[in-house]
Amino acid sequence: MGGLAEHVAAVRAALPAGVELLYAMKANPDPAILRTLAPYLTGFEVASGGELRHLAEALPGTVPAAFGGPGKTDSELDAGLATGVRRFHVESTTELRRLALLATARGTVADVLLRVNLPFAAEGAALVMGGRPGPFGMSAEQARECVDLGLPGVRVRGVHAHLGSGLAAPAAADLARAVVGWAVGELDAAEVNVGGGMAVDYADPTARFDWPGYGAALGDLLAEFPGRVLRIEPGRALTVYCGWYVTEVLDVKRSGDEWFVVVVGGTHHLRTPAAKQHSQPFRVRSRARWSPPYPRPVTGSGPLTIVGQLCTPKDVLARVPDAAALPAPGRIAVGDTIVFGMAGAYAWNISHRDFLLHDPPLFRYDRPEH
Ligand SMILES: *Cc1c(COP(=O)(O)O)cnc(C)c1O
């Protein structure tokens, strides 16, 4: 976990002191990861009653949580009140009314940020969560209505927006500026959470989001709107680099002009490439020794697809246009190890792990040497 702690420490150091850093735990809720991140965070963004319970188990004591997510049930909201959730990210007028009733019944007041779907284009976003009709959050008019209602049991402190994911730093900074300007100008928001969605590049595992550039832009915003609290809640960009999925080549075969490499495991362990329709970055480690009494199958030239053990053509982990152009050792043979990188976010925890009832992967917590 050394790499993860170093990475989050650098992210924290790149942000102005006035910016609060939450971790969106849906990216990877592994307890060891939560504990490694915690010292560098203001708190966690949870998006379900299950995540709330999980956080309390992984980090006993009062861990500051912001409770977001579309579709929170009354029992989830009430659990949030019972466990002292710091902020509720409310998604609609109706949810605000339900929360107000529950809080009043408990004789407490819930601190709320209104999740707004603002008409700002998230330039270059991979996943657009706002700026057009959608299930997340409320319109600007509905947000004003929530404030005007003046309900007992809730205190509207400001605005929450998460309008896209896969944003490079300049686009994320522009979006933050637009959101904060609107929130302060229209609702006199004391707090603004501008969300997560900081870009990671699966095609270039060495690339990093420009945290210093983004931090400087947030610093400018704090100077422009003094006295306001600014908060961000990245998920993927914090943990994706700290996980590897290590597997072994079970078979190599030729079909037509193409090569297929079958590995132990598949997208039931690492669903990321299926979910994002990309090639998961990987490295090959050759196994030198070969003892079976038959020839060792090995790739040649031509298109190559790395697949898993599932009985579906969608179980694809990576594609390479020409196997002859593979980085060293330049080929893949049965018995080799394949190390998939960038498996620390939206990987095992989003995988359809019960499909075909294969064994789960083993987990190791250390710093692989490769
Ligand atoms: C998923 C999500 C995040 C984190 O997104 P990343 O792309 O992992 O940074 C943050 N906030 C909300 C509301 C989300 O739904």
Side-chain angles (χ1 to χ4, degrees):
M1 289 286 163
L4 178 60
E6 278 161 28
H7 176 60
V8 67
V11 170
R12 179 60 264 182
L15 298 170
V19 171
E20 297 186 356
L21 175 62
L22 306 184
Y23 169 59
M25 69 180 272
K26 78 170 188 287
N28 189 335
D30 187 298
I33 285 179
L34 301 183
R35 287 192 284 266
T36 303
L37 291 174
Y40 306 95
L41 303 175
T42 308
F44 293 86
E45 191 259 356
V46 303
S48 73
E51 285 193 349
L52 200 57
R53 275 195 307 277
H54 179 79
L55 181 63
E57 283 161 20
L59 287 159
T62 322
V63 180
F67 191 3
K72 307 175 199 70
T73 64
D74 274 1
S75 69
E76 288 178 311
L77 289 171
D78 202 46
L81 291 167
T83 52
V85 156
R86 194 72 64 86
R87 294 289 179 273
F88 288 85
H89 295 166
V90 166
E91 295 261 341
S92 73
T93 322
T94 307
E95 190 174 88
L96 186 72
R97 290 182 186 280
R98 285 170 42 225
L99 179 61
L101 283 177
L102 292 162
T104 307
R106 282 187 171 271
T108 182
V109 178
D111 286 305
V112 164
L113 298 189
L114 302 172
R115 180 169 184 185
V116 285
N117 177 357
L118 295 169
F120 305 136
E123 250 347 275
L127 263 187
V128 178
M129 324 275 289
R132 64 183 187 206
F136 304 114
M138 60 184 89
S139 67
E141 293 69 34
Q142 288 157 351
R144 278 190 211 97
E145 187 194 332
C146 281
V147 173
D148 292 345
L149 282 172
L151 295 171
V154 289
R155 187 162 42 218
V156 177
R157 289 190 166 269
V159 163
H160 169 244
H162 173 71
L163 296 171
S165 80
L167 296 166
D174 286 350
L175 197 56
R177 164 164 295 279
V179 169
V180 175
W182 181 88
V184 174
E186 296 293 318
L187 297 185
D188 192 25
E191 299 176 15
V192 188
N193 180 329
V194 295
M198 291 72 182
V200 314
D201 188 352
Y202 288 91
D204 181 2
T206 62
R208 292 291 178 274
F209 183 82
D210 177 13
W211 287 104
Y214 186 61
L218 295 183
D220 291 346
L221 274 179
L222 283 172
E224 194 177 329
F225 301 99
R228 318 282 165 163
V229 174
L230 210 51
R231 202 173 287 139
I232 62 172
E233 52 182 21
R236 192 188 308 266
L238 291 188
T239 54
V240 74
Y241 309 106
C242 80
W244 291 264
Y245 178 55
V246 182
T247 182
E248 187 181 320
V249 176
L250 196 56
D251 209 344
V252 168
K253 48 189 174 179
R254 191 138 172 96
S255 174
D257 295 334
E258 301 189 20
W259 292 97
F260 289 83
V261 168
V262 185
V263 299
V264 179
T267 55
H268 54 300
H269 292 167
L270 180 74
R271 190 168 160 258
T272 325
K276 288 190 72 74
Q277 291 291 301
H278 70 198
S279 269
Q280 196 71 20
F282 67 90
R283 299 173 65 158
V284 179
R285 283 204 241 140
S286 295
R287 190 175 76 178
R289 293 222 322 272
W290 178 256
S291 48
Y294 51 85
R296 185 178 191 181
V298 57
T299 58
S301 63
L304 175 150
T305 306
I306 303 179
V307 303
Q309 292 175 283
L310 301 184
C311 312
T312 161
K314 295 189 174 167
D315 190 21
V316 172
L317 293 161
R319 293 181 203 278
V320 176
D322 185 2
L326 277 169
R331 56 192 201 127
I332 301 177
V334 169
D336 285 351
T337 299
I338 300 200
V339 181
F340 291 95
M342 297 183 78
Y346 305 104
W348 165 243
N349 69 308
I350 67 159
S351 301
H352 41 295
R353 51 186 76 179
D354 284 340
F355 188 38
L356 267 80
L357 299 178
H358 283 293
D359 287 336
L362 298 173
F363 287 83
R364 275 184 50 182
Y365 300 90
D366 57 14
R367 198 171 195 173
E369 295 177 25
H370 51 79

